[in-house]
Amino acid sequence: MTKELNDMIELITKLDTNTKVLEGYNSAIIGYVINSTETSIAYSVNHIIKILQLKDMSFLEATEEFDTNINRKYIGVGKPTFIYCNNKGL
């Protein structure tokens, strides 16, 4: 993990102690979201699925794993923001 990314995560979790960080998915972080009540870390769903595929999952298995065990696991205050990106970026 780069120092810049480490610093960003540290700053975000200091700004809002409820912010959730997904262990093992730091390379999928694309930024953060601040609104009037909370801060959350933004992750690329595409990148999370690629990380899961590196664990010998098919695309379908990785998509199901994301939906069932990552996206639905985090609810409430500080929930990560998940962003689907097209091939051309945001």
Side-chain angles (χ1 to χ4, degrees):
M1 178 175 0
T2 67
K3 180 176 177 0
E4 183 179 283
L5 182 58
N6 251 346
D7 291 346
M8 183 185 76
I9 293 170
E10 184 179 336
L11 173 66
I12 293 166
T13 54
K14 281 184 181 178
L15 288 172
D16 187 342
T17 56
N18 293 315
T19 301
K20 311 280 190 302
V21 179
L22 300 179
E23 296 297 323
Y25 297 96
N26 287 347
S27 64
I29 294 174
I30 56 175
Y32 58 98
V33 178
I34 300 173
N35 65 37
S36 61
T37 59
E38 66 182 301
T39 303
S40 67
I41 297 176
Y43 293 86
S44 164
V45 174
N46 307 61
H47 197 84
I48 290 173
I49 289 171
K50 287 180 184 176
I51 292 169
L52 292 169
Q53 286 180 288
L54 291 173
K55 297 177 181 181
D56 291 330
M57 291 184 196
S58 69
F59 176 79
L60 181 59
E61 290 170 328
T63 301
E64 289 173 353
E65 174 72 15
F66 167 76
D67 187 50
T68 304
N69 296 316
I70 297 174
N71 187 35
R72 293 183 189 185
K73 178 180 177 182
Y74 293 93
I75 57 173
V77 177
K79 178 188 185 302
T81 300
F82 298 110
I83 299 173
Y84 289 87
C85 303
N86 62 30
N87 291 337
K88 298 176 185 173
L90 294 177

